[in-house]
Amino acid sequence: MSEKSKQRKLVLRERLVVAAEARIERAGLASLRARDMASDAGCSLGAIYNVFEDLNAVVMAVNGRTFRKLGTVVANSVADAASIAPTQRLIIMSNAYLHFAAEHKNLWRALFDLQMSSDGMVPDWYLAALRDLFQHIAEPLAEIFPDKNAADLDLMTRALFSSVHGIVLLGLENRISGVPIEKVEMMISQVLGEVGKKN
Amino acid sequence: MSEKSKQRKLVLRERLVVAAEARIERAGLASLRARDMASDAGCSLGAIYNVFEDLNAVVMAVNGRTFRKLGTVVANSVADAASIAPTQRLIIMSNAYLHFAAEHKNLWRALFDLQMSSDGMVPDWYLAALRDLFQHIAEPLAEIFPDKNAADLDLMTRALFSSVHGIVLLGLENRISGVPIEKVEMMISQVLGEVGKKN
DNA sequence: CCCATTTATGAACCACGTTCAATATAGGGC
DNA sequence: GCCCTATATTGAACGTGGTTCATAAATGGG
């Protein structure tokens, strides 16, 4: 395969990912259609399968972008906050997470709605992005609990991430909550604030 | 429509729900097929649509049963625990929630995977079941925080339910955690334990 | 027993992801 | 520039699965 071919392949992949992302963002993962994507990207239906394994792979690529954006947003939220108390930093990051989820609800949901656990193949970038996210949480936690060992810290990191994720998830699910976003912020602060009271 | 007709309709509904439940429990919501359900229940394909609006409605009926079972399990876990400290009661209920989810993973996931928020119609029994669940959580919380008003308690109830839900959700999602169930119990205890330390 | 009305049936319809035989294009040797 | 082969592109066709509906069977009152 010539260099030009690889280049065109890459360009088409990009066009397809952009098209898929726009569709998902606008109308949700469930309404993504191969034929729509193809016409958005200005290629034939079959062309999708020349550059991607299947639709799932396209969505995974979209999820990759989303995950990177999410990571950036969370990291930036505490970038210049070295002097802020660790509990506050946790709350700030969680609020960044909440607002990203609220502003890109459909893209954010796609991160978790796409099932991939079935065949056990989780791509490396997914695990890496998750590790990065966890690392940002573990840091303030290590300040709050300087005596905890690595395993305990890891467990607490996962516990808190999961808690915040759950609050955001159900908070944005209007069938369950119908709670305005400021209330969701308060819920996060409540749970994290209690943890921050040390032992 | 005669009385006998209504009776037969009800019987068929029941047979279909049982068939759907078995399929979902065994292989997950995503693998439920109308044709399979019909042959399991010993009726024709079209008969499904005589007694249910569509497949979604069948799954909603299954979810109704699951939700009732879940409510019973959680309620029973603290039925004879009036003398136990409220924080412990919260932990016991959460573990009951965790174990129900772990033992009926596919049925439990179906509770949340089925999208219904789109057309805003949430059935009454769903909201009622949720209210019941929240009530069980609010009770120990009211003991821990006797000074909080109803609105604050409600917020904290939702926050803690969401937290536990998130921990269970990501804890059972092997792509993210791969954490054994005892560790998930520990995470729940950690988060709830901190809250239980009062103010 | 007959006819009207209700109920059940499954073949057919449609939407979609995916495939693949047919077509178009590209590239290299002369 | 001209073939010819290899590679890439295409979109019609296939398989699957939810849903519908014309037709057939069953039901029940007179």
Side-chain angles (χ1 to χ4, degrees):
Chain A
M1 186 176 348
S2 76
E3 207 48 44
K4 257 207 166 102
S5 284
K6 276 184 190 159
Q7 210 53 33
R8 256 177 304 149
K9 236 179 157 121
L10 236 48
V11 168
L12 182 53
R13 281 178 74 97
E14 179 68 13
R15 283 215 313 275
L16 283 169
V17 170
V18 168
E21 187 179 54
R23 290 255 172 204
I24 294 174
E25 174 132 45
R26 189 146 13 95
L29 179 57
S31 72
L32 185 65
R33 303 277 170 266
R35 286 165 178 80
D36 293 341
M37 267 182 54
S39 83
D40 287 357
C43 70
S44 72
L45 183 56
I48 297 172
Y49 297 89
N50 293 333
V51 295
F52 281 108
E53 182 64 23
D54 54 19
L55 275 209
N56 246 325
V58 185
V59 178
M60 280 299 279
V62 173
N63 281 353
R65 292 175 151 233
T66 306
F67 226 140
R68 268 192 295 280
K69 283 184 212 160
L70 174 58
T72 303
V73 165
V74 170
N76 283 350
S77 73
V78 291
D80 56 350
S83 63
I84 295 176
T87 302
Q88 270 306 311
R89 294 217 302 281
L90 287 177
I91 291 174
I92 290 169
M93 283 192 289
S94 299
N95 282 337
Y97 187 79
L98 167 64
H99 284 105
F100 182 90
E103 282 160 30
H104 308 283
K105 196 162 155 184
N106 286 330
L107 287 175
W108 176 72
R109 293 211 55 135
L111 285 180
F112 303 94
D113 283 355
L114 187 62
Q115 89 282 45
M116 40 183 168
S117 43
S118 53
D119 47 359
M121 288 194 326
V122 183
D124 284 343
W125 61 258
Y126 191 98
L127 297 172
L130 213 53
R131 244 198 322 277
D132 282 1
L133 210 49
F134 282 1
Q135 191 48 46
H136 284 118
I137 300 169
E139 219 169 88
L141 272 183
E143 288 183 39
I144 302 173
F145 303 102
D147 296 339
K148 275 203 198 300
N149 63 37
D152 285 353
L153 263 184
D154 179 65
L155 211 64
M156 182 137 230
T157 299
R158 288 166 185 278
L160 289 188
F161 172 77
S162 301
S163 296
V164 172
H165 178 76
I167 292 172
V168 171
L169 184 70
L170 299 189
L172 296 182
E173 190 105 6
N174 38 11
R175 87 177 120 154
I176 282 168
S177 70
V179 166
I181 203 161
E182 314 89 57
K183 295 279 181 184
V184 180
E185 284 186 12
M186 285 177 61
M187 291 193 236
I188 291 172
S189 295
Q190 249 174 338
V191 169
L192 292 182
E194 299 294 337
V195 172
K197 288 199 173 50
K198 288 203 183 181
N199 289 351
Chain B
M1 184 175 351
S2 76
E3 206 47 45
K4 258 208 166 103
S5 282
K6 276 184 191 157
Q7 209 55 34
R8 256 178 304 148
K9 236 180 155 115
L10 236 48
V11 168
L12 182 54
R13 282 178 73 97
E14 178 68 13
R15 284 216 311 275
L16 283 168
V17 170
V18 168
E21 186 178 54
R23 289 256 172 206
I24 294 174
E25 173 132 46
R26 190 149 8 96
L29 179 58
S31 72
L32 184 65
R33 303 278 170 265
R35 285 162 179 83
D36 293 342
M37 268 182 52
S39 82
D40 286 357
C43 71
S44 71
L45 182 56
I48 297 172
Y49 298 89
N50 292 333
V51 296
F52 281 106
E53 182 64 23
D54 55 17
L55 275 209
N56 245 326
V58 185
V59 178
M60 279 300 278
V62 173
N63 281 354
R65 294 175 147 232
T66 306
F67 225 142
R68 270 191 295 281
K69 282 185 213 161
L70 174 58
T72 303
V73 164
V74 169
N76 283 349
S77 73
V78 291
D80 55 350
S83 64
I84 294 176
T87 302
Q88 270 306 309
R89 295 217 300 281
L90 287 176
I91 292 174
I92 290 169
M93 283 192 290
S94 298
N95 282 336
Y97 187 79
L98 167 64
H99 284 104
F100 182 89
E103 282 159 30
H104 309 283
K105 196 162 155 184
N106 286 330
L107 287 175
W108 176 72
R109 292 211 55 136
L111 284 180
F112 303 94
D113 283 355
L114 187 62
Q115 88 283 41
M116 41 184 166
S117 42
S118 52
D119 46 2
M121 290 193 326
V122 183
D124 285 342
W125 61 258
Y126 192 97
L127 297 172
L130 213 54
R131 244 196 321 278
D132 283 0
L133 210 49
F134 282 1
Q135 191 47 46
H136 284 119
I137 301 169
E139 219 169 88
L141 272 184
E143 288 183 39
I144 302 174
F145 302 103
D147 297 338
K148 275 202 198 303
N149 64 35
D152 285 354
L153 264 185
D154 180 66
L155 212 63
M156 182 137 231
T157 300
R158 290 166 184 277
L160 290 188
F161 172 77
S162 301
S163 296
V164 172
H165 178 76
I167 293 171
V168 171
L169 184 70
L170 299 189
L172 296 182
E173 190 106 5
N174 39 11
R175 89 177 118 155
I176 284 168
S177 70
V179 166
I181 202 162
E182 314 89 57
K183 296 279 182 183
V184 180
E185 285 186 12
M186 285 177 61
M187 290 193 237
I188 292 172
S189 296
Q190 249 176 336
V191 169
L192 292 182
E194 299 293 339
V195 172
K197 288 199 174 51
K198 288 201 184 185
N199 290 352

